[in-house]
């Protein structure tokens, strides 16, 4: 990709850093917007800084940004619809259609032996 970008720049082709057709900003710019404004949902972010209803590109990116900034549980309310199947069901879908569930256990320090 870097070589292709350099080649296109050398030919005078203007390149967009837009995430997708719904957001004119890059992922890093959206992260900064969410961090600075305190946006907590995809619908709020797209209403204030985007257009349309979102797509398979921007929805997972925004879900990741919101989850990484700790704006609430990833499966609460509107956030649940942004998660892919594995995250939504807290399991991994296998090729044969079954699920494998890996329990999520909070990390804790083990007691030191006396």
């Amino acid at each position: 990709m870097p070589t292709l970008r350099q080649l296109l720049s050398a030919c005078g082709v203007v390149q967009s850093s837009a995430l997708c057709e719904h957001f004119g900003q890059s992922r890093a710019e959206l992260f900064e917007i969410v961090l600075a404004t305190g946006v907590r949902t995809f619908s709020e972010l797209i209403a204030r800084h985007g257009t349309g209803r979102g797509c398979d590109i921007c929805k997972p990116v925004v879900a990741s940004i919101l989850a990484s900034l700790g704006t609430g549980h990833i499966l609460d309310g509107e956030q649940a619809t942004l998660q892919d199947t594995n995250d939504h069901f807290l399991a991994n879908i296998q090729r044969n259609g079954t699920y494998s569930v890996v329990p999520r256990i909070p990390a804790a320090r083990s007691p030191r032996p006396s």
Side-chain angles (χ1 to χ4, degrees):
M1 288 299 288
T3 305
L4 180 57
R5 286 189 180 144
Q6 290 173 355
L7 180 61
L8 290 171
S9 292
C11 294
V13 175
V14 178
Q15 301 171 52
S16 172
S17 64
L19 179 64
C20 67
E21 65 188 77
H22 303 104
F23 288 101
Q25 304 85 353
S26 67
R27 185 191 196 288
E29 291 167 334
L30 285 174
F31 183 91
E32 292 298 324
I33 288 170
V34 172
L35 183 62
T37 62
V39 169
R40 296 192 168 271
T41 63
F42 179 81
S43 60
E44 183 182 359
L45 183 65
I46 203 161
R48 291 171 66 182
H49 301 283
T51 60
R53 303 175 110 195
C55 64
D56 291 340
I57 295 171
C58 60
K59 284 183 177 182
V61 169
V62 172
S64 172
I65 291 169
L66 294 172
S68 67
L69 291 175
T71 60
H73 190 272
I74 63 168
L75 297 179
D76 283 344
E78 180 185 321
Q79 302 303 92
T81 60
L82 298 177
Q83 302 304 315
D84 67 9
T85 302
N86 287 350
D87 290 334
H88 186 74
F89 293 106
L90 302 176
N92 296 317
I93 190 166
Q94 304 299 310
R95 289 184 185 169
N96 65 1
T98 62
Y99 290 90
S100 63
V101 178
V102 179
R104 299 185 185 229
I105 302 170
R109 292 178 48 164
S110 58
R112 292 185 174 188
S114 312

